[in-house]
Amino acid sequence: MNCPKCNTELAKKYYKGMIEVDSCPNCRGMWLDFNELDKLEDAAFDDDAHKGSLIHHQAKTEFPCPHCGTALDEFQYRLYDLKLDYCVENSHGFWLDAGEDERVIAAMQKRSTEVKRKLDAESEWKQALKGMHSFLTRKK
């Protein structure tokens, strides 16, 4: 397989000991098979139900999928200020330019903090409502 951005032959490597990826030794981008983006996210936040929608505002690019050669689509990643590329035609996977892997992890760390804060606030509010309910319904 060749890099969709600079056409250099991709090399297999283990990303942080977690997943095997196809990496470009020239531009430092990486190809993640379809399920590997989820594995990368799970390093920071593994609650799939609270991650949000993955793909927003997609558009065709001129960059070829390393597997099948069809044009990759670019999309806004989970409404963050981050654009990634993926093979929409055959669901082969995702292309991350150099540094985008760290931005995905940072986005998931931020999401984890936001969800925890939201769940804590909901729990506190539930306890407050229970307290108010018991005060209002107690017998005099």
Side-chain angles (χ1 to χ4, degrees):
M1 292 193 316
N2 290 340
C3 174
K5 303 290 174 100
C6 68
N7 205 34
T8 301
E9 186 174 346
L10 299 178
K12 294 214 178 282
K13 75 171 196 173
Y14 275 94
Y15 178 79
K16 297 187 179 187
M18 295 186 304
I19 50 179
E20 186 179 59
V21 300
D22 298 291
S23 177
C24 180
N26 184 46
C27 71
R28 296 184 14 243
M30 72 174 75
W31 179 257
L32 300 175
D33 291 334
F34 203 75
N35 64 337
E36 291 173 340
L37 180 60
D38 187 51
K39 289 178 183 178
L40 177 66
E41 292 175 329
D42 286 351
F45 184 52
D46 64 358
D47 186 353
D48 288 344
H50 288 102
K51 285 182 180 176
S53 297
L54 176 64
I55 296 170
H56 297 273
H57 312 291
Q58 66 190 72
K60 285 282 181 210
T61 73
E62 73 275 6
F63 303 114
C65 170
H67 280 278
C68 65
T70 61
L72 296 172
D73 274 23
E74 178 184 74
F75 68 96
Q76 184 180 2
Y77 170 77
R78 298 195 188 276
L79 289 178
Y80 290 98
D81 184 23
L82 176 60
K83 301 252 182 173
L84 302 179
D85 303 303
Y86 82 116
C87 178
V88 68
E89 293 292 324
N90 298 302
S91 300
H92 284 132
F94 300 89
W95 178 259
L96 279 65
D97 292 326
E100 289 179 338
D101 54 322
E102 296 299 330
R103 292 185 65 199
V104 165
I105 290 172
M108 286 297 97
Q109 288 170 336
K110 180 180 179 187
R111 185 70 182 149
S112 175
T113 301
E114 291 169 349
V115 167
K116 182 180 181 334
R117 188 175 72 239
K118 177 183 179 282
L119 294 175
D120 288 347
E122 287 175 356
S123 178
E124 289 176 20
W125 181 241
K126 183 178 176 182
Q127 291 302 319
L129 289 176
K130 278 184 180 180
M132 289 172 36
H133 182 263
S134 65
F135 173 78
L136 293 173
T137 59
R138 73 174 182 200
K139 295 183 182 181
K140 296 180 180 183

